[in-house]
Structures are given as structure tokens and as C-alpha cells.
Amino acid sequence: MQATAAKRPAVPPHVVVVDDEPLVCETLVSSLAPLECRVSVAHSGGTAMDIVRDTLPSVVLLDIHLGATSGLDVMKEVQRTSPGTECIIMTAHGTQETAIEAVNSGAFAYLVKPFTDSTLCLMGRRAIDRKETREALRRSEQGFRQVFDTCPDAILLVDAKTHQFVDVNQAAERLYGYTRDEFCDLDHSAITAEPERTVESFEKTLAGKLSRIPLRHHRRRDGTVFPVEISASVFTLEGQQVLCGIVHDISARIHAEEELRKHRQQLSHAERVLQTSHIVSSLAHEINQPLLGVLSNAQAALRMLAAKQVDHGELRAALSDIVSDSQRAGDVIQRIRSFLRKDKPVRSPLDINSQIRAVLDFVRAEIEDARVRVRTALGEGTPLVMGDPIELQQVILNIVLNAEQAMSVTPEASRELTISTCVERGTHVKVIVEDTGPGIADPDRIFEPFVTTKKKGLGLGLSIGQVLVHAHGGTIWAENRAGGGARVCFTVPVAMPESE
């Protein structure tokens, strides 16, 4: 940190002239007039020290011989009493040895009498400026330390070469459990739970390729591990490269996000249960059909067994039909169980077209009962997307059921549901669901919670769908078709291949 000379204070600088000859003191006071400073005079070391203790002057102008007292001894006393005061030594009988001694003892300047007024003013001005500069630097460093220590986030200064801590603030002491002195005996490996990633982040920060590290895990003194976000920068301090890391503990945020995820999952599950209840009669019909087949074939098999001669071919066919119908009923139940599962979402590469077909199988009976024709135009070679199959099926189901229910006011001959997929900008797969219903009264509000046009609807289906799509990194929107009806589209990012 560099400090510049401060603006000249309103209070004039104070200079103390110390010489045991009154006439010399008067001359020096007169010579110092151009400096526009306040001047005090002392004829002895004791008097000078009284003034210094009371006023803490900017400069003391000392004769090296003050009777029986050495000016150098007085200077040392001044330095102990008022460390910021600059001292100028004067002498009429100076030697090289005394000059060296004076400078080595901390004198700002060493003047040999006689000297000109301009020389005295020049040295006096420089001494005052240095005093003011040091004071400005002290205030600046004091202000920096105050800001440094009152920052609510932990600040870590780390030597770029050794990875040793150079300095930390009070927030870092509280966060990690080490004192500042203890930190300075450690390197960065003491607080990271991911050493390899930390070294990589160091290298990228030094190369200017990284300024924000979104998620890392650090370790406290007691061994507990917690998540952090880090803002990183590099600067030079006293000739060495230093990495500055501002560390923000995001434990509370991660916990809140996890609670939100759980609530969203519970709400999503409740919506799936509700949607299933809407089509339960159709599902019952779909299960009842194969069960009736099982019953019919079982009765036929019993009749065959009761006969005197058993036609093994017919008996085998009846039993095969029983197996087939049982599998059909089991498949329906399995689809319901899968859709209603309450597991934690797991995202993996999947085929969105397969998810659409699964939903259409699930609601086939409901769609047929509603006299809705379904057309699909699922793009061939559509890339895999990264997602959770049940969540994406729920999005598709909500849109499909909304479209089917919207067409209840449309003449049966005109009820048509079209689902298509395509690749969007090479980075997303887009799913388009179109219907021939009355359209959407307010497309801008359709995704708001509890906004519905259905008498028994809660208005949560599309709202939850929007949350799920956004959680997958996609977008969803609705619009009215030019020829009538509505169109709902959503996108899901293409699954990127894992980097080596």
C-alpha cells in the first residue's frame, strides 16, 4: 500500500527550536517564518522535553551541544516520548563521526552551522512533509485494518509461493477457530478439505483465469467441514505476490436450498398423486380388462381340466393368455408405482422421446375416454438430455392433461393433441405440446400458482412444471396458436459428454 502526502492540515505544524543561545534561537525562529508554522523555543533539554510531552510537535530542531547535555541524548528522549516527531541536529563543530551517529540514531537531517535560511526551510519542510506522510500512512493503515477486521466475511492473505498465511482478519479467526498468530504458522492445506482442487484454483488465480470460486469445502480447527464461496485476487505486498481470498460461509444457504428442494419434492409428489387421482377411473378400466381376461381364461382352463379328455393345446393357449393378461395388469400397476415414487431426484442422460411415450402409455385410457386423437412427431436421433425421468414425466403429464381437459369444450371430431420434439440451437431439446382447445386467456399468468380455469383444479400443475424445468436448466412458455388452440413448449439442456 502506498500513501501520498496528506493535504496540509488546518492546524499549522509545530516546530520546537532547542539551543542554549537565545540569539541563535531568535535567528532560527525568523528563518523558519516562510514555513508558516508554530514555533516554540527551549534553551535546555529539560524545557524541550516538557514542550514535547505537552504538544507532540512535528519537528524538533536541536543543537548537538546543550551545555552539559548532549543533543543526541535529548533526541533519543524525544523519539521515546513522541515517536512520530522528526529531529534535525545542528552543530557548529560537527565531525563525520557525530554526523554518522546522529543519522544512525534516527535524525532526519544533520546541519552544520552556518547554514542559509533556504537550507533550513528546505530541511524543515521535508521533515514536516515526512511527518505528515507518516501520519497519513498510519491513519490509512489504521483505517484499512479497521475495514479488514470488521468485514463480515473471512479474508485470507496467502503467500503465492509458499502458500503460507501472511495475514487474516477477525472473521477468519471466528470462522476457522485459529488465532491470527496461529494462522501465520500454517499453510493453506490446513483449512482445505480438497487439496488438489485448491492447488488448481491457486494456479488459475495466479494466471488471471479465476476470480470467483463458486463452491469449495473448507475444514475448521475442530475438523468440521463446511461449504464456502471464494472471491480471489492477486496483488503485490512488500515485494511478494499475495493471494487474497474473501471466503463466504454458505452453509446456511445450502441448508435453505436443501429444505426448499425437499418442500418442492413433497409438493411435486402431492401433485403427482392428484394427477393420478384424476385418471384413476381410466386406470381402473385399464387394469380391469386384463383381470377379466385372466378370470375368463382361468375358468376355461378349469372346464378343460374337468373334461374327460384334455386338449393340451387349448389349455396351453388359455394359460398363456392368463400370463399375458397378468403381465399387462402388472405393467399398469408398475407405471403407477414408478410415477408415484418419492425418491430423491437423480439426473442422468436420458431419451426425452422415451419419456413422452411412457407418459402417453400412462394416460392412454384417459385420452381414449376423452375422445382425443394423439399425433406424435418425435425427432429421430434426438440427443440425450440430462434429467430425472420422473420429474420430466411429471412436466409432460401436467401439460398433456391440461391440454386434454381444455379440449372438453371442443367438438369430438376436432380434438387433437400433437407432441413433437426437436433440437434447439444445438444445446437444448425442445418439447412442443399443441391442442385444439379454446386457447389460453392469459399466457403470461398460466404458470403462476393457483391460477386455473378448471372448476376442480388447484392451478399447481404448470407452476410445478415450471419449477422442475428451471431446476433442469431449461425454460418453459405458453402461447396461443394462430389457427386456434394452445401451444406449450419447454426445453431441457443436452447431456454433455463427461470430460476426461
Side-chain angles (χ1 to χ4, degrees), residues 163 188-189 192-202 217 219:
H163 294 186
H188 195 268
S189 64
T192 179
E194 304 163 305
E196 292 182 0
R197 296 184 71 192
T198 298
V199 172
E200 179 186 355
S201 298
F202 266 60
H217 289 87
R219 181 179 286 106

Side-chain angles (χ1 to χ4, degrees), residues 303-312 314-315:
R303 286 194 300 270
M304 292 178 196
L305 290 172
K308 292 181 178 180
Q309 290 185 343
V310 178
D311 186 332
H312 292 283
E314 288 187 11
L315 181 59

